[in-house]
Amino acid sequence: MLAIKDLSFRYSSRGPAVLNGIDLELPDGQIGIVLGKNGSGKTTLFKNILGICRPDSGCISFDGEDLLRMHRRERARIVAYVPQSIHFGALSVFDTVLMGRVSFFGYKAGREDEEAVRQILHDMQLEEFAARNVEQLSGGERQKIAIARALAQEPRLLVFDEPTGNLDIANEQLILSEARRLAREKNICILTSLHDMNQALELGDRFFFMRDGKIRCSGGPEVFSEELIKDIFDAEVRVTEIEGTKYVLNGGRQE
Ligand code: ADP
């Protein structure tokens, strides 16, 4: 389980607190979705979890192990990151995914590393791409390679920053179903941010609504309400339920 307690962070000592007393818990195999306006602190929260930024105070642990005290390589065995835009360099798909195992092999990949990559490419139906140059793939395909590379790390927590940001609808569906499969089959925790609330409702188990560096509300799909979305996004929406599933529709109620 990912557990964040009372996390605060500022980019400069005299600047404002960008994260302010964040508490978050995400059990294994669950997908957590962080929602909030641009600038609310979602990416900064991810950077703190990934060790790119160091919090001023608070704790981040995974299954009781303190992520903040870990060496980079140790942390890489627990947390992997799938960035929004990916610049891989001109490597083959196989070698790109193999790079995900650097924390295992250090300088030279062994037979078991290559075997692990082969298995991941097989599981993700990417075998036919193995010898292709990643730079010649489409955005959706590259996103899949980025996931494969993160998986090669054998992480227990996968952090995705806006995974569907630049994708068309077919690739969006592909990435979301892949995320769901990973959480369920491999019992991996996934923490991600999404702008589309219906996509979030479709994918997520737990939701964390951020505003001004704080989590204002968290919980399951039941927490989605017109009042909450107004409070978080200053947006008028309608929240409706069809056959037990919630949907968020643009535009407020007509009086
Ligand atoms: P979100 O991901 O929700 O859009 P961010 O975490 O990117 O939000 O940004 C939160 C706040 O931190 C914003 O006010 C942003 O301007 C500020 N911020 C982000 N990155 C930096 C940085 N490198 N230096 C200073 N301020 C930053």
Side-chain angles (χ1 to χ4, degrees):
M1 181 175 81
L2 171 68
I4 300 179
K5 285 203 187 73
D6 205 16
L7 184 78
S8 293
F9 172 81
R10 53 186 81 224
Y11 279 99
S12 66
S13 55
R14 272 183 272 157
V18 174
L19 300 176
N20 197 345
I22 299 281
D23 288 310
L24 181 155
E25 284 192 352
L26 186 63
D28 291 354
Q30 287 209 354
I31 301 181
I33 301 190
V34 184
L35 296 131
K37 280 184 178 183
N38 293 330
S40 57
K42 303 179 294 294
T43 305
T44 306
L45 173 62
F46 294 162
K47 285 185 188 164
N48 274 263
I49 296 169
L50 294 161
I52 299 167
C53 292
R54 226 177 149 70
D56 299 322
S57 58
C59 311
I60 307 177
S61 65
F62 197 91
D63 286 348
E65 289 185 75
D66 187 349
L67 288 187
L68 298 175
R69 282 171 181 268
M70 279 180 195
H71 192 266
R72 217 165 118 198
R73 191 167 276 192
E74 251 181 303
R75 195 185 307 111
R77 303 288 287 265
I78 296 183
V79 192
Y81 180 47
V82 184
Q84 207 183 347
S85 49
I86 312 132
H87 306 285
F88 286 126
L91 290 175
S92 71
V93 165
F94 190 91
D95 287 344
T96 302
V97 176
L98 189 62
M99 290 305 287
R101 293 190 66 83
V102 159
S103 68
F104 288 85
F105 63 71
Y107 295 103
K108 195 169 181 334
R111 234 211 181 119
E112 63 278 26
D113 298 305
E114 290 180 358
E115 196 41 51
V117 171
R118 243 173 244 122
Q119 187 63 46
I120 289 165
L121 293 180
H122 172 78
D123 289 350
M124 292 187 70
Q125 293 164 18
L126 287 168
E127 282 159 314
E128 59 178 301
F129 290 94
R132 302 252 313 259
N133 181 332
V134 267
E135 284 192 332
Q136 289 159 7
L137 302 180
S138 73
E141 288 161 350
R142 284 215 296 232
Q143 184 82 332
K144 267 187 102 173
I145 308 300
I147 297 176
R149 186 182 60 172
L151 285 179
Q153 250 174 271
E154 296 182 19
R156 284 143 76 197
L157 167 66
L158 208 53
V159 177
F160 274 78
D161 205 355
E162 291 181 29
T164 59
N166 304 315
L167 303 181
D168 61 41
I169 185 161
N171 277 312
E172 231 174 65
Q173 286 170 350
L174 191 84
I175 298 304
L176 295 180
S177 68
E178 198 54 43
R180 222 175 286 123
R181 187 181 72 80
L182 290 173
R184 303 290 175 264
E185 288 179 13
K186 298 197 182 282
N187 206 30
I188 292 177
C189 272
I190 296 183
L191 189 65
T192 182
S193 58
L194 283 173
H195 280 299
D196 183 321
M197 276 179 262
N198 291 312
Q199 242 177 25
L201 277 162
E202 205 189 317
L203 182 69
D205 298 300
R206 293 188 67 76
F207 304 90
F208 306 95
F209 286 89
M210 280 186 83
R211 182 156 187 167
D212 302 331
K214 294 192 177 114
I215 292 183
R216 288 269 189 104
C217 176
S218 60
E222 71 284 351
V223 300
F224 277 77
S225 70
E226 289 161 13
E227 296 71 31
L228 177 68
I229 289 162
K230 175 127 182 77
D231 180 41
I232 298 294
F233 294 96
D234 296 317
E236 302 281 349
V237 297
R238 276 181 60 205
V239 176
T240 182
E241 200 166 321
I242 303 169
E243 294 177 359
T245 303
K246 283 203 172 186
Y247 294 91
V248 177
L249 308 176
N250 277 335
R253 286 185 186 284
Q254 303 296 315
E255 297 301 334

